[in-house]
Amino acid sequence: MKKVQGTVIIKADSCKGCAFCVEFCPTDALHLSDRYNAKGYRIPELIDEAKCTGCGLCGLYCPDFAIHGFIIKKVA
Amino acid sequence: MLDQQTAEIEVPEAQNPVESLLRMDRMPHIWCPGCGIGTTVNCFARALEQSKLDLDKVAIVSGIGCTGRVAGYLNLDSFHTTHGRAIPFATGLKLANPDLKIVVYSGDGDLFAIGGNHFIHAARRNVDMTVICVNNLIYGMTGGQVAPTTPVTAKGTTYPYGSYDPPFNLPYLADSSGAGYVARWTVYHVRHVTKAIKEAIAHRGFSFVEIISPCPTLYSRRNRLGDGLDQMKFYKENSEIKNGADTKEVGMDFQGKIIVGKFVDRERKTYRQLMNEHLSNVFGEQFTPYEG
Ligand SMILES: Cc1ncc(C[n+]2csc(CCOP(=O)(O)OP(=O)(O)O)c2C)c(N)n1
Ligand code: SF4
Ligand code: SF4
Ligand code: SF4
Ligand SMILES: [Mg+2]
């Protein structure tokens, strides 16, 4: 049972589309979107915000400091 | 994605926690897509934050290479030395300022080819510092030459038909040279890397953390191993955690099993302790122990 709600902030300009965040998100909350940034990299997005626990692992993996996740509220 | 709901969050969380430790004016960094060096920086930043050290008392020293750029990107007192000379610079820094925490952060080529002699002697003397090696098994910055860590049969620009140079097993080298703390993880193991760096920094004496890392642009491409993510998945599937393993047994083969873990954790007298004890014995009261 999920007890917390999380989210991510993505700095699209910094992303290089490596997909580390997508692959290693423990709840599969992310995917690579159809959007490209100015440098031509495909950027990730939350598929389903409800899945994100704000664990922060995506931010720990991102080699370009382009994403980070955090808890926004406790879910009763 | 930032939407209505997240608009309520407080400002500190809107900022990636690693940013407080980065020189943001130097971003974006030079590292290629899928390069693992940036991920190690996240782990280092978390470890430092969790260590609750006074950051004015932490200094970081790098040599030359893609990894060597780390010193220039961290918002700490830092020095980017000439190639191979991070450890001698760090040794001087530590001897002159014993209360500084010194971290050497560099590549496998820098630390073990041109800088190899410095590494073994700093470990032998047990100079109190932490050495973090991002081991991508190649010289990244200069175009993919074979390094002292490149596995046999792996290709580099200097060995187009595959290397036949027996590589160093870095944990064994560190252990047998006298390092008190020795661990190896891969960039896939972000939480273990963070913990290992924290432990290494807390360790008194010479500590060593090896982080196996993807270089998709040179190592992976030349060896047809796919991109950075493919290497990360490879690490996930082929790493075996063996804490306390005999370091003799942890050598790496080309695309073989990677033994990871904390291998060595022991106390030895540091270089300064040895000096103070010895000179006190020789000169008695005449000698004032050196405290900085
Ligand atoms: C005295 C000297 N010799 C050679 C070089 C060229 N050089 C720069 S970086 C490097 C090797 C870097 O390899 P590594 O330390 O593994 O770093 P990486 O780029 O893989 O992170 C070499 C040989 C130099 N800068 N100075
Ligand atoms: S914070 Fe955790 S759960 Fe949320 S997207 Fe990032 S890795 Fe996934
Ligand atoms: S890990 Fe970072 S650089 Fe890689 S796709 Fe995710 S946000 Fe982009
Ligand atoms: S050349 Fe290799 S080590 Fe250097 S930044 Fe690119 S991927 Fe990373
Ligand atoms: Mg290297």
Side-chain angles (χ1 to χ4, degrees):
Chain A
M1 210 356 237
K2 185 175 155 180
K3 295 199 181 63
V4 288
Q5 175 61 56
T7 194
V8 298
I9 292 180
I10 296 167
K11 276 188 168 177
D13 291 347
S14 304
C15 172
K16 293 189 191 137
C18 70
F20 287 6
C21 57
V22 172
E23 179 71 23
F24 301 117
C25 166
T27 63
D28 295 323
L30 298 163
H31 74 161
L32 280 189
S33 70
D34 297 330
R35 294 187 299 131
Y36 291 80
N37 67 13
K39 292 176 190 153
Y41 296 114
R42 252 178 99 180
I43 54 176
E45 68 183 5
L46 279 175
I47 317 170
D48 179 2
E49 187 147 37
K51 281 185 170 178
C52 177
T53 61
C55 71
L57 210 55
C58 49
L60 200 50
Y61 272 106
C62 177
D64 290 276
F65 319 124
I67 187 170
H68 74 285
F70 49 90
I71 294 168
I72 43 175
K73 66 180 178 200
K74 302 235 182 290
V75 178
Chain B
M1 285 224 294
L2 190 55
D3 63 11
Q4 281 315 103
Q5 207 172 13
T6 59
E8 293 159 25
I9 54 150
E10 289 133 50
V11 182
E13 285 174 340
Q15 186 186 308
N16 188 330
V18 71
E19 286 186 16
S20 61
L21 212 67
L22 296 176
R23 296 176 200 239
M24 290 308 288
D25 54 321
R26 306 242 174 131
M27 295 295 130
H29 60 55
I30 59 153
W31 300 313
C32 306
C35 173
I37 300 170
T39 306
T40 72
V41 171
N42 287 319
C43 298
F44 177 72
R46 298 292 195 290
L48 212 52
E49 188 188 303
Q50 290 169 16
S51 300
K52 306 228 177 306
L53 290 171
D54 174 1
L55 296 186
D56 286 335
K57 295 249 181 297
V58 179
I60 170 144
V61 185
S62 290
I64 304 297
C66 296
T67 312
R69 301 301 289 247
V70 168
Y73 291 139
L74 289 173
N75 196 11
L76 294 167
D77 286 336
S78 58
F79 201 85
H80 195 182
T81 70
T82 50
H83 193 29
R85 310 303 170 215
I87 289 178
F89 182 88
T91 303
L93 200 54
K94 182 68 188 176
L95 293 182
N97 305 275
D99 60 336
L100 287 185
K101 272 281 168 198
I102 312 280
V103 180
V104 169
Y105 208 131
S106 213
D108 49 311
D110 183 78
L111 288 167
F112 295 98
I114 189 169
N117 222 23
H118 302 302
F119 181 89
I120 57 175
H121 295 295
R124 174 176 66 85
R125 292 159 147 178
N126 203 24
V127 182
D128 187 12
M129 65 170 74
T130 295
V131 175
I132 299 172
C133 175
V134 177
N135 183 3
N136 50 20
L137 311 173
I138 200 119
Y139 290 180
M141 179 158 274
T142 42
Q145 294 83 0
V146 156
T149 46
T150 307
V152 167
T153 72
K155 295 186 176 104
T157 49
T158 45
Y159 282 76
Y161 304 104
S163 172
Y164 42 85
D165 277 17
F168 275 144
N169 164 353
L170 299 183
Y172 181 42
L173 182 69
D175 182 9
S176 48
S177 304
Y181 180 97
V182 180
R184 171 201 278 153
W185 296 99
T186 79
V187 171
Y188 162 70
H189 301 92
V190 282
R191 295 211 193 279
H192 291 99
V193 171
T194 304
K195 182 157 177 263
I197 294 176
K198 206 165 65 174
E199 290 176 351
I201 290 174
H203 180 88
R204 204 164 51 102
F206 190 91
S207 54
F208 177 58
V209 180
E210 177 187 21
I211 312 169
I212 308 296
S213 176
C215 169
T217 303
L218 295 156
Y219 185 80
S220 302
R221 191 171 55 170
R222 188 162 291 271
N223 287 291
R224 301 185 184 281
L225 302 174
D227 60 11
L229 184 62
D230 290 315
Q231 276 296 280
M232 292 288 275
K233 290 183 191 164
F234 177 83
Y235 300 156
K236 181 179 175 184
E237 281 151 28
N238 295 280
S239 297
E240 191 181 321
I241 301 180
K242 274 195 185 169
N243 291 310
D246 182 346
T247 56
K248 268 199 204 84
E249 312 292 328
V250 306
M252 287 172 58
D253 296 324
F254 179 62
Q255 290 296 94
K257 181 160 281 185
I258 306 172
I259 308 293
V260 296
K262 175 164 74 176
F263 304 134
V264 177
D265 195 353
R266 64 182 168 217
E267 280 287 324
R268 284 177 64 216
K269 288 180 180 170
T270 66
Y271 187 57
R272 191 161 56 90
Q273 261 180 308
L274 292 168
M275 177 185 78
N276 282 337
E277 283 182 17
H278 181 71
L279 293 181
S280 294
N281 285 339
V282 174
F283 295 109
E285 297 285 283
Q286 277 174 285
F287 178 72
T288 311
Y290 177 68
E291 303 299 340

